[in-house]
Amino acid sequence: MKIVMAVIKPFKLEEVRDALTALGVHGLTVTEVKGYGRQKGHTEIYRGAEYAVSFLPKLKIEVAVASDLVPKVIDAITAAARTGQIGDGKIFVTSLEKAVRIRTGETDSDAL
């Protein structure tokens, strides 16, 4: 089992969710985060004054999946979240040692 964590632009959430649903991924966790990467923020003009915005709003999506599904999940997220512009995001994959469904007590892949 693996956890696939993707940091994406907020307006791409629906496309990513639809792509994961098409793969049969049943659940995901979404967190609002702020990020700082190679784009180094941007400037905004508000009421005539210019402001530097260093941390840009992003969404972090976490999905727990079986190990054999990871390449398909990565491809789906990449295709759905790509805009071709700087700041499209990143995907991280980590190992998941144990999962337990609280309601039923199911463990590991049965809990996913």
Side-chain angles (χ1 to χ4, degrees):
M1 295 181 304
K2 303 283 186 183
I3 291 184
V4 179
M5 179 176 44
V7 179
I8 63 168
K9 291 182 175 184
F11 63 88
K12 286 297 199 169
L13 176 61
E14 292 300 318
E15 292 175 48
V16 171
R17 184 186 58 120
D18 292 343
L20 292 174
T21 302
L23 284 178
V25 174
H26 300 295
L28 54 94
T29 302
V30 178
T31 309
E32 291 182 6
V33 296
K34 292 188 179 204
Y36 179 87
R38 290 184 180 167
Q39 73 269 24
K40 301 197 179 18
H42 65 278
T43 57
E44 292 182 357
I45 298 176
Y46 178 72
R47 293 190 179 183
E50 191 171 291
Y51 297 94
V53 179
S54 296
F55 295 96
L56 300 176
K58 302 283 185 174
L59 291 179
K60 179 171 71 170
I61 300 171
E62 294 172 298
V63 182
V65 295
S67 297
D68 60 333
L69 197 56
V70 170
K72 291 179 184 178
V73 168
I74 291 172
D75 291 344
I77 293 171
T78 302
R82 178 179 287 135
T83 65
Q85 302 295 317
I86 193 165
D88 273 351
K90 296 228 178 10
I91 298 174
F92 305 98
V93 180
T94 59
S95 295
L96 177 60
E97 292 183 26
K98 187 159 191 76
V100 178
R101 185 181 306 239
I102 294 172
R103 179 177 53 87
T104 61
E106 294 170 305
T107 60
D108 299 329
S109 61
D110 292 335
L112 300 181

